[in-house]
Amino acid sequence: MKLRKIVGGSDAAGLIQEEEPSSGSYYGSIENDSHTILMTKLNNNHDEAQQGITDVVHGGEKPMNYFKDGLTPIDFALVYEADLQEEDKVQDENEHHTQKNVHYTWRQKFLKKLKSAGILIEEHTVLKPKKTIHYVLLSAPWDVLCYYAEEMNLRVPLQTMPNQSKNWSAEILKKMQIPNLLHNELPSLPVDLYTCPFKTSKLSLFLGSSNKNTFFSNTQRHQIMHEILSITHYGDVKKGQVGIQRMLNENAFQAAFPLHDGSYDIPSGSTPIHTLTYRQILFRYWAKWGKWNKYQPLDHVRKYFGEKIALYFAWLGFYTGWLLPAAVFGTVIFLFGIILMTRDLPAKEICESEGQFQMCPVCKACPYWNLSSICNTYKAGLLFDHGGTVFFSVFMSLWAVTFLEYWKRTNAVLVYRWDCFEFAYIEERPRPEFAAMAPTTIRNPITGAEEPYFPKRRRINRIITGSMALILMVTVVVMFLIAIILYRSIIRLVVTKYGLVALAPRIASITGSVVNLIIILILSKIYIFLAHFLTQWEMHRTQTAYEDAFTFKVFLFQFVNFYSSPIYIAFFKGRFVGYPGHYSTLFGMRNEECSPGGCLIELAQELLVIMVGKQVINNIQEFIVPKIRGLWQKYKLRTTKEGMDTDAYISSWERDYTLVPCEGLFDEYLEMVIQFGFITIFVAACPLAPLFALINNWVEIRLDAHKFVCEYQRPVVERAQNIGIWFKILEVITYLAIRSNAFLIAFTSDFIPRLYYQHIMESNLKGYVNFTLAYAPQNAAHENNLVCRYLSYRENDGRPSITFWNLLALRLAFVIIFEQSVALVDDNEPENAESGITVTHCNSPMANL
């Protein structure tokens, strides 16, 4: 539809037909014992009860940001900076047309449109040595709020009910009468509410409707104002000159944000707990590092930041909790590898072989070498390549499947409690940018309303065009992968020529991993910028569809970017080497072989460098970069008042302007999902991966909490039904992880060959080393005038031996058995319980409106 807009205060006021609420006119009463005092007030003094109900509904929300009159609440702040003489120059008719003049014109048109829409505006100016900073404060009056609340289907409360938040671990500990060290005693616990979409004609039926100042919560006022800012045009609509985001991109405004509810710092002295704002509560009971071992206050997070951010922290906390058993089991498996390393008979044979096994050169100019020289490397490989990793791989495959199933249930319970269960399918409106840019409208067959429309055929054409860019970037990643392979081969040859045969593979692998990590991070930044542009160009109708399309593009690229090197090492490296006299080559260089300790230890090393290295770099960035940006912003905005303490005069909008703009949750989700892939797809190679992930996530929760509470400008609240397309991506990763671990154990590890040798030869693995080595063909031995050995199951003429084919059959059989065993457990998982919740949802009072 062509969005309705308020063109003047008088017109907007005509939309509202207020009905004065009468006693007992609410949809249900507050029946819980904890709210008895409110019922008493309701019977004695209706107006006083209304304020009490408002306090229950909005909890610790204490608005403290007002215009100069002390009565008009500030809903949004716009900021722009200008040279001291810029305004005077713009008014000069002879002044030539500059970019600054264009920005001035755009701002004037934009603010004029806001005024015509009924928005109240107050401007504050702060003088700096070389520039002027303008703070434009916006407030939506009651009639505008009602108009857009109905237009946006905002949900408002009908009836309160006791908070139903539960924690399974707390309940278990309570039954066992064990003190719960994770418990976090929180003030101002938000109540649960029955809600329904706001209707002006039903105004008297909503809780707190008699108090216009507090009926809409702060976050709802922010949502309404953001909607208005997003659809207001300031120039040619066909050129996309619509909305505050475009003006920010064009630097016409430097910032646009809702204000935080005061400072997060708690005043010194004895401050009553009930007087704390939600921001102060979150800082005191959540964002502090000392709260790392406490339950997250998800209801408070949801109340202050909205459902979308709360669901992210709920998922992150749930995922971190599930990592604990995986980390413990993985550590036990790693310790078992240390014990096995000291007792393994093949390792002992290699270390004591001395000159018994003379190995073929790794290049034409390289010397022969003794197998005993890789004693320590082979033992190190046993830390990751032993029978215990098989059981750990099975465990992690089942863990991943079960984790997703139980998250479905947790997500369903949360969104039901938070009234978002049907949001994505019924309530979500078109994106403001889409509504403003759509070339035409179409009638919705369900609601009958006119809605903005972009032809599906044109969108598909644009998506196909964007896919070409994705393919191009993936090709670039593959090119860099080949370059890394050649780099490792060259480094290995150079180091080998200096006589460091045993160290050459390790040096080449470690340096190659570091170079690969640097390339990965650089390509990620480039493609994310490109994906933003392409997704915006594709014109997706809803914010969910927009984010899903953007996420799919970026993750598909990041999957290739991050996982291409580990996949190559796990499944391709050392498979196409050939044999002495008939080596395969790539660009004239001999194909890479696995290191003497096997490819599994190389894969573990690659995982640790990429996963742990990326986590360390990200955490440093998340900790240091916002602080540096904040300090730099404060330095630029330092006041010029002589002899005065600047902190004593700074306003809330000035203080919030010094904070870092919130960049959303995409990077946070991407980091965690990439990590999930590392600890599931390649976990057979590195049992310690879940432990490193657990440690990182404990830090990540606290870093993210501190960023949102203390260092970010307040984001506009967004509703959400789930974690979006990320869950589908997690399901795909889990599916790939089961197959990947099956093939890793079967084809990359020594598990199947050792089991085969124990069955047909010696149960104690005596002579296993000789069993795995083949003799070089006579023609190759004649050229070098010496017979040498190499790692393979081949006859003396280079043909695959019968052992090779037997092992191939066993490996394929193991893959099938492994996959089917995990799939059997997956099929036995109970169906998601969402259907039952839906039935309950329909029985709530909101169904009667």
Side-chain angles (χ1 to χ4, degrees):
M1 66 179 177
K2 293 183 179 178
L3 292 178
R4 297 178 291 166
K5 297 181 182 177
I6 300 173
V7 295
S10 58
D11 294 337
L15 295 171
I16 310 299
Q17 297 293 331
E18 292 188 34
E19 299 178 16
E20 290 297 326
S22 59
S23 182
S25 64
Y26 292 102
Y27 226 108
S29 59
I30 305 175
E31 300 172 350
N32 186 260
D33 292 340
S34 63
H35 305 316
T36 304
I37 186 172
L38 292 178
M39 285 300 298
T40 303
K41 290 183 178 180
L42 186 60
N43 293 329
N44 297 331
N45 187 309
H46 176 73
D47 294 334
E48 192 176 337
Q50 282 291 324
Q51 184 59 48
I53 290 172
T54 301
D55 291 340
V56 170
V57 172
H58 299 307
E61 221 177 64
K62 300 172 180 62
M64 52 184 61
N65 301 307
Y66 296 94
F67 281 10
K68 288 180 180 179
D69 59 12
L71 299 174
T72 307
I74 300 171
D75 298 326
F76 231 86
L78 307 180
V79 185
Y80 66 91
E81 300 177 1
D83 294 337
L84 291 176
Q85 305 300 324
E86 179 180 331
E87 290 86 351
D88 296 335
K89 290 182 179 180
V90 170
Q91 294 173 3
D92 186 355
E93 295 181 355
N94 297 324
E95 184 70 21
H96 63 279
H97 188 78
T98 65
Q99 187 64 36
K100 290 183 178 180
N101 296 346
V102 172
H103 289 170
Y104 176 85
T105 303
W106 285 350
R107 283 194 298 266
Q108 295 305 309
K109 289 182 178 179
F110 190 76
L111 296 178
K112 185 177 180 181
K113 290 285 185 182
L114 292 178
K115 288 180 181 179
S116 67
I119 303 302
L120 305 178
I121 298 177
E122 181 176 281
E123 186 168 345
H124 294 256
T125 301
V126 178
L127 297 178
K128 299 298 177 183
K130 296 183 179 180
K131 61 185 175 182
T132 307
I133 301 179
H134 299 265
Y135 296 91
V136 182
L137 309 180
L138 307 176
S139 180
W142 170 253
D143 50 0
V144 176
L145 292 173
C146 291
Y147 177 85
Y148 275 94
E150 185 168 352
E151 183 79 12
M152 296 168 62
N153 287 323
L154 288 186
R155 303 186 75 88
V156 290
L158 289 166
Q159 176 182 335
T160 63
M161 55 183 174
N163 190 293
Q164 300 176 6
S165 60
K166 295 180 180 179
N167 193 295
W168 63 270
S169 60
E171 293 179 357
I172 293 175
L173 292 174
K174 184 177 180 180
K175 290 180 180 179
M176 299 175 66
Q177 297 183 345
I178 298 175
N180 187 1
L181 300 178
L182 303 177
H183 179 66
N184 203 3
E185 191 67 37
L186 299 167
S188 302
L189 188 66
V191 296
D192 284 346
L193 300 167
Y194 284 118
T195 66
C196 74
F198 175 79
K199 297 290 183 184
T200 305
S201 60
K202 304 288 185 180
L203 180 64
S204 61
L205 301 179
F206 298 117
L207 284 179
S209 58
S210 65
N211 192 334
K212 297 179 180 179
N213 294 328
T214 58
F215 176 69
F216 293 107
S217 67
N218 287 352
T219 54
Q220 287 176 325
R221 297 177 71 99
H222 301 161
Q223 285 178 280
I224 292 171
M225 184 56 66
H226 184 260
E227 174 77 10
I228 296 171
L229 292 173
S230 298
I231 63 176
T232 301
H233 62 85
Y234 56 88
D236 190 345
V237 177
K238 294 182 179 180
K239 294 181 180 179
Q241 294 175 347
V242 178
I244 187 63
Q245 189 58 50
R246 177 67 184 271
M247 296 198 76
L248 291 171
N249 295 340
E250 297 284 353
N251 289 320
F253 283 104
Q254 272 62 55
F257 50 87
L259 299 182
H260 278 292
D261 290 346
S263 173
Y264 63 84
D265 287 323
I266 300 174
S268 58
S270 56
T271 303
I273 293 180
H274 69 274
T275 63
L276 299 179
T277 64
Y278 273 124
R279 190 186 187 195
Q280 292 172 332
I281 292 172
L282 290 174
F283 175 70
R284 183 170 182 174
Y285 296 94
W286 182 47
K288 286 189 173 181
W289 289 94
K291 298 297 181 179
W292 67 271
N293 61 335
K294 300 297 183 181
Y295 294 132
Q296 295 189 89
L298 294 178
D299 286 326
H300 292 75
V301 176
R302 175 243 179 175
K303 192 72 177 177
Y304 193 74
F305 290 114
E307 289 82 4
K308 188 173 185 178
I309 292 176
L311 276 176
Y312 163 72
F313 281 105
W315 176 82
L316 181 57
F318 186 83
Y319 170 46
T320 303
W322 272 69
L323 279 174
L324 184 59
V328 172
F329 192 15
T331 304
V332 170
I333 294 298
F334 182 77
L335 295 176
F336 176 73
I338 294 177
I339 297 173
L340 181 65
M341 182 177 65
T342 61
R343 300 181 180 181
D344 187 65
L345 186 57
K348 186 177 180 181
E349 287 182 351
I350 289 176
C351 294
E352 297 176 354
S353 63
E354 296 182 353
Q356 181 181 354
F357 302 110
Q358 186 149 274
M359 307 299 291
C360 297
V362 297
C363 67
K364 289 183 178 181
C366 298
Y368 292 90
W369 55 282
N370 290 322
L371 189 62
S372 58
S373 64
I374 67 161
C375 172
N376 293 331
T377 305
Y378 187 84
K379 284 184 176 181
L382 293 176
L383 293 173
F384 307 100
D385 189 0
H386 56 83
T389 56
V390 178
F391 297 101
F392 187 58
S393 298
V394 174
F395 170 81
M396 286 303 296
S397 297
L398 298 177
W399 175 90
V401 172
T402 310
F403 161 71
L404 294 182
E405 290 299 322
Y406 275 89
W407 167 248
K408 284 181 185 177
R409 301 180 181 187
T410 302
N411 182 85
V413 170
L414 287 175
V415 297
Y416 169 67
R417 283 188 49 234
W418 294 344
D419 245 346
C420 298
F421 205 80
E422 298 173 340
F423 168 73
Y425 305 107
I426 297 176
E427 300 175 26
E428 189 168 18
R429 304 176 66 252
R431 294 170 57 239
E433 296 85 355
F434 174 84
M437 295 290 294
T440 184
T441 61
I442 191 172
R443 185 173 297 278
N444 188 311
I446 298 176
T447 64
E450 287 286 325
E451 294 185 353
Y453 176 74
F454 188 80
K456 186 175 181 180
R457 185 182 183 87
R458 289 177 61 185
R459 180 181 295 116
I460 292 175
N461 291 338
R462 293 186 177 189
I463 291 174
I464 293 174
T465 304
S467 301
M468 298 299 103
L470 174 61
I471 294 173
L472 178 62
M473 290 299 295
V474 169
T475 304
V476 172
V477 172
V478 174
M479 290 171 60
F480 274 108
L481 175 61
I482 295 173
I484 293 294
I485 294 171
L486 295 175
Y487 167 84
R488 281 198 294 251
S489 299
I490 294 171
I491 294 297
R492 183 173 182 178
L493 293 179
V494 171
V495 176
T496 301
K497 287 183 179 180
Y498 284 95
L500 303 174
V501 178
L503 293 177
R506 192 67 53 241
I507 293 174
S509 181
I510 292 175
T511 57
S513 298
V514 172
V515 172
N516 188 39
L517 175 62
I518 296 172
I519 292 173
I520 284 172
L521 297 177
I522 293 174
L523 290 178
S524 297
K525 297 293 183 183
I526 296 173
Y527 184 73
I528 288 175
F529 174 80
L530 179 62
H532 267 298
F533 170 79
L534 292 174
T535 310
Q536 186 75 31
W537 182 57
E538 289 168 2
M539 289 288 290
H540 294 278
R541 178 179 175 273
T542 64
Q543 185 66 23
T544 298
Y546 173 86
E547 292 178 356
D548 287 353
F550 174 71
T551 301
F552 176 76
K553 285 187 187 67
V554 175
F555 181 78
L556 197 60
F557 171 76
Q558 297 287 42
F559 184 90
V560 178
N561 196 20
F562 278 95
Y563 298 146
S564 57
S565 184
I567 287 173
Y568 163 73
I569 295 173
F571 303 115
F572 298 99
K573 187 175 181 179
R575 308 287 177 214
F576 311 101
V577 177
Y579 57 92
H582 296 81
Y583 286 116
S584 303
T585 60
L586 177 65
F587 298 117
M589 297 190 65
R590 211 167 97 182
N591 287 351
E592 275 193 300
E593 298 181 57
C594 292
S595 66
C599 274
L600 216 57
I601 187 174
E602 287 193 53
L603 179 58
Q605 175 187 288
E606 186 81 2
L607 291 181
L608 292 177
V609 170
I610 295 178
M611 187 183 84
V612 178
K614 179 179 181 296
Q615 290 177 169
V616 170
I617 292 173
N618 283 346
N619 287 336
I620 292 175
Q621 286 179 334
E622 291 183 25
F623 182 75
I624 294 179
V625 172
K627 293 185 180 300
I628 294 176
R629 291 173 63 183
L631 290 173
W632 175 246
Q633 184 76 343
K634 289 178 182 178
Y635 173 77
K636 291 194 302 181
L637 301 178
R638 66 192 186 283
T639 187
T640 59
K641 296 178 181 177
E642 298 180 0
M644 301 290 184
D645 181 8
T646 58
D647 292 337
Y649 296 92
I650 191 169
S651 61
S652 58
W653 46 89
E654 290 180 81
R655 182 177 58 246
D656 284 5
Y657 183 44
T658 64
L659 301 178
V660 179
C662 181
E663 297 175 350
L665 295 171
F666 175 80
D667 289 335
E668 316 299 339
Y669 271 120
L670 180 63
E671 179 184 355
M672 290 297 104
V673 171
I674 292 291
Q675 180 200 89
F676 182 82
F678 279 127
I679 69 167
T680 53
I681 296 177
F682 307 106
V683 74
C686 188
L688 289 179
L691 176 63
F692 288 114
L694 175 64
I695 296 172
N696 173 80
N697 289 7
W698 270 333
V699 175
E700 184 73 25
I701 291 176
R702 225 46 55 192
L703 278 176
D704 289 347
H706 192 270
K707 282 192 308 183
F708 276 95
V709 174
C710 305
E711 296 171 358
Y712 276 170
Q713 292 171 355
R714 189 173 185 176
V716 178
V717 163
E718 293 183 62
R719 288 167 59 80
Q721 189 181 26
N722 46 47
I723 63 174
I725 197 175
W726 294 111
F727 185 80
K728 295 293 183 184
I729 291 174
L730 291 172
E731 287 185 316
V732 172
I733 289 176
T734 301
Y735 176 86
L736 295 176
I738 297 172
R739 278 75 188 168
S740 173
N741 284 302
F743 278 95
L744 267 176
I745 297 170
F747 288 92
T748 307
S749 77
D750 255 359
F751 176 71
I752 299 296
R754 283 179 174 239
L755 206 62
Y756 176 77
Y757 185 82
Q758 284 178 313
H759 180 70
I760 66 169
M761 297 290 187
E762 295 285 345
S763 60
N764 63 356
L765 293 175
K766 184 178 181 180
Y768 174 74
V769 175
N770 185 62
F771 171 74
T772 61
L773 299 176
Y775 287 94
Q778 291 183 356
N779 57 346
H782 179 71
E783 290 175 7
N784 295 282
N785 201 26
L786 187 67
V787 176
C788 59
R789 309 289 295 273
Y790 65 102
L791 185 64
S792 186
Y793 299 99
R794 293 180 180 271
E795 303 290 353
N796 291 343
D797 59 359
R799 291 183 296 106
S801 65
I802 188 65
T803 301
F804 171 86
W805 298 111
N806 290 340
L807 286 174
L808 179 61
L810 289 173
R811 283 167 166 159
L812 294 174
F814 175 84
V815 169
I816 295 173
I817 294 171
F818 186 98
E819 289 183 351
Q820 294 305 312
S821 299
V822 177
L824 183 64
V825 176
D826 187 14
D827 291 340
N828 289 332
E829 285 287 343
E831 292 294 325
N832 187 15
E834 292 183 5
S835 57
I837 294 178
T838 304
V839 175
T840 308
H841 194 75
C842 292
N843 292 330
S844 65
M846 69 187 73
N848 298 319
L849 271 185

